[in-house]
Amino acid sequence: MQSSDARMLRGAAIPTGAVGVGAVLIGLLTAGGKGALAAALATVVVLIFFSISAIAVSWAGKISAQTMMLAALASYMVKILAVMVLVTAMDGVSLWNTTVFGWAVIALALCWIAAEFRVALQRRPYVDEPESALDRSP
């Protein structure tokens, strides 16, 4: 993993973890122990799913930019479908509060995306121009 990819992963995982702690507290206050358990599980799910996606995109970036884009799109689709299946499968579970779980997953996913966006805006842009684009002789 390149240092810029590691910075992106840390820059998204740390704020998401902090928001996850807040979600556990909110879950505890609104739905008791079942709400806290649901928010904690949602935090773990989001951190694992999004970290795996970031690692896959980083690995694909070593191959080529096209492969990286394909990995980003594929991991995004798999991630969204997996979270949707997980939330749907957990609908009848009574061990934790499924409403808190669903809302926490949505909030934490949005937090991760916003944190990645913030880290990306802080980086200097990199443009890979082909050799022929630099030579513009008439």
Side-chain angles (χ1 to χ4, degrees):
M1 179 174 279
Q2 297 176 356
S3 65
S4 61
D5 296 332
R7 183 177 42 229
M8 180 74 77
L9 184 60
R10 279 191 313 271
I14 291 170
T16 303
V19 171
V21 171
V24 169
L25 292 174
I26 291 170
L28 181 64
L29 293 174
T30 59
K34 288 185 176 187
L37 179 61
L41 182 62
T43 302
V44 169
V45 166
V46 168
L47 286 173
I48 289 173
F49 278 23
F50 281 75
S51 294
I52 289 172
S53 176
I55 292 168
V57 170
S58 173
W59 172 80
K62 293 178 184 176
I63 298 170
S64 71
Q66 293 82 9
T67 307
M68 186 171 86
M69 185 62 168
L70 180 62
L73 291 172
S75 69
Y76 179 76
M77 289 296 296
V78 168
K79 184 173 30 184
I80 295 301
L81 290 173
V83 168
M84 184 176 67
V85 166
L86 186 63
V87 169
T88 303
M90 300 295 175
D91 189 34
V93 174
S94 62
L95 185 60
W96 59 79
N97 189 315
T98 56
T99 304
V100 171
F101 178 79
W103 284 109
V105 165
I106 291 169
L108 292 166
L110 291 174
C111 175
W112 183 285
I113 293 167
E116 274 189 338
F117 187 67
R118 182 185 57 84
V119 171
L121 287 177
Q122 291 174 348
R123 283 205 271 188
R124 299 179 88 188
Y126 173 76
V127 179
D128 186 21
E129 293 191 26
E131 302 290 328
S132 61
L134 300 175
D135 183 24
R136 300 200 188 263
S137 54

